Amino acid sequence: RHCVQRSRLEGVFDRAGRKFPDRRDTILRLNEEMRIAWPKVMKILGIRHIAAISDLLVAAVKDSSRHVLLIGEPGCDQERLGRIIHQVSQRRHNQFYALPELPKLTSTRHLDLQDACTGTVLVHLYHKGKLDEHIVETLLNPATDLRLIICARSPNKADASFPSELLHDAKQIKIPPLRQRKTEIPELLDQWFIARHSSLRFEALREALREGIMAHTWPENLRELRALAGLLCRLASCRFACEAT
């Protein structure tokens, strides 16, 4: 089907043989970006959340001016997901900027937000209190034309800092905590082992360690699991090195 679609969208050429820009070619490229992003989003939202993954990617591409509200606990790879949303959208040629925690509108930060004009800004709302009102005013300035990706535990937390009409129109995505998708932990670890070029696999771990991993509540979610994968790879490398010598 993909090949047939491509053959139908070959585009139009001028007399010199140069191809005119075709909006349909852009759609094809966006579809390819979505295909590449799919497994990355699956690691964050969960293997069984196929509908949510498709919904998110379509929303990211369909209307790149629509703000996004990511609801979930800290450590659920919100920034990675935000970057993916930016990369598959039509704003991907512009800047992605992640605001630090508890930001203040310094002169440097004001310039950073100006540089991100027509791009995407990621906003964390996991601290106590509201976001600095001067930061909010700058983010919502129509002249900057920013797409906001707002990360919070709940919609109420976001509502305390941003206008309710903005949040009402935003695309809302819920990121499940890792403790609710424990059955995916072995596969996630194996994927990260492979990415680190390690021969280590979850089933090769000692039984007591496997049981401890599956019983853990993972309060820091994917961030904590990724750190464990790195640690296990380093320990495995040290053991193999010792055995080799």
Side-chain angles (χ1 to χ4, degrees), residues 2-185:
H2 183 70
C3 294
V4 172
Q5 185 181 24
R6 184 176 294 277
S7 66
R8 291 176 180 173
L9 300 178
E10 288 297 327
V12 181
F13 296 82
D14 64 11
R15 292 182 180 180
R18 295 186 296 265
K19 189 174 182 180
F20 287 117
D22 192 327
R23 186 178 179 184
R24 293 170 295 182
D25 288 341
T26 301
I27 295 174
L28 279 177
R29 287 196 296 271
L30 290 176
N31 287 341
E32 181 68 9
E33 294 287 341
M34 292 165 67
R35 185 188 67 78
I36 294 171
W38 186 279
K40 299 177 183 178
V41 178
M42 195 185 321
K43 291 177 184 178
I44 300 172
L45 296 185
I47 296 172
R48 294 180 177 83
H49 292 73
I50 303 299
I53 297 169
S54 177
D55 189 38
L56 170 64
L57 292 174
V58 170
V61 175
K62 185 178 180 181
D63 186 0
S64 62
S65 63
R66 189 180 184 187
H67 304 302
V68 179
L69 181 59
L70 301 180
I71 300 299
E73 298 176 2
C76 290
D77 277 359
Q78 284 89 340
E79 183 169 341
R80 278 186 172 84
L81 185 56
R83 290 184 182 276
I84 292 170
I85 293 171
H86 175 72
Q87 289 165 2
V88 301
S89 76
Q90 295 181 7
R91 293 176 179 254
R92 65 186 179 278
H93 300 297
N94 302 321
Q95 187 174 337
F96 176 91
Y97 178 67
L99 272 174
E101 295 279 350
L102 295 172
K104 296 293 183 181
L105 190 60
T106 62
S107 57
T108 302
R109 186 145 300 127
H110 184 73
L111 289 175
D112 289 338
L113 291 174
Q114 283 186 329
D115 290 341
C117 181
T118 68
T120 304
V121 173
L122 185 85
V123 183
H124 291 285
L125 295 178
Y126 293 114
H127 54 275
K128 293 183 178 180
K130 299 180 180 179
L131 190 64
D132 183 90
E133 59 182 12
H134 299 295
I135 288 281
V136 175
E137 183 180 354
T138 303
L139 293 173
L140 300 184
N141 186 345
T144 59
D145 186 26
L146 294 171
R147 181 186 212 176
L148 303 182
I149 298 180
I150 304 168
C151 310
R153 288 181 180 271
S154 68
N156 290 338
K157 179 63 177 179
D159 192 51
S161 296
F162 289 96
S164 56
E165 58 270 18
L166 180 148
L167 299 174
H168 181 266
D169 295 335
K171 176 64 181 178
Q172 186 174 134
I173 298 293
K174 293 183 178 180
I175 307 178
L178 186 57
R179 63 180 176 275
Q180 292 182 5
R181 35 184 298 224
K182 283 188 175 182
T183 56
E184 300 176 24
I185 288 178

Side-chain angles (χ1 to χ4, degrees), residues 133-244:
E133 59 182 12
H134 299 295
I135 288 281
V136 175
E137 183 180 354
T138 303
L139 293 173
L140 300 184
N141 186 345
T144 59
D145 186 26
L146 294 171
R147 181 186 212 176
L148 303 182
I149 298 180
I150 304 168
C151 310
R153 288 181 180 271
S154 68
N156 290 338
K157 179 63 177 179
D159 192 51
S161 296
F162 289 96
S164 56
E165 58 270 18
L166 180 148
L167 299 174
H168 181 266
D169 295 335
K171 176 64 181 178
Q172 186 174 134
I173 298 293
K174 293 183 178 180
I175 307 178
L178 186 57
R179 63 180 176 275
Q180 292 182 5
R181 35 184 298 224
K182 283 188 175 182
T183 56
E184 300 176 24
I185 288 178
E187 184 173 346
L188 286 170
L189 284 174
D190 283 349
Q191 289 179 8
W192 288 331
F193 293 153
I194 293 170
R196 288 172 168 81
H197 306 289
S198 173
S199 59
L200 187 64
R201 296 296 181 269
F202 180 79
E203 288 300 323
L205 299 174
R206 290 183 291 107
E207 182 179 359
L209 179 56
R210 294 199 307 269
E211 291 177 353
I213 289 172
M214 298 306 293
H216 189 52
T217 57
W218 302 102
E220 296 182 30
N221 295 292
L222 292 174
R223 178 171 56 206
E224 187 178 2
L225 185 64
R226 185 178 281 103
L228 174 66
L231 175 62
L232 291 174
C233 286
R234 290 191 296 273
L235 292 174
S237 297
C238 291
R239 181 172 65 86
F240 292 148
C242 291
E243 290 176 354

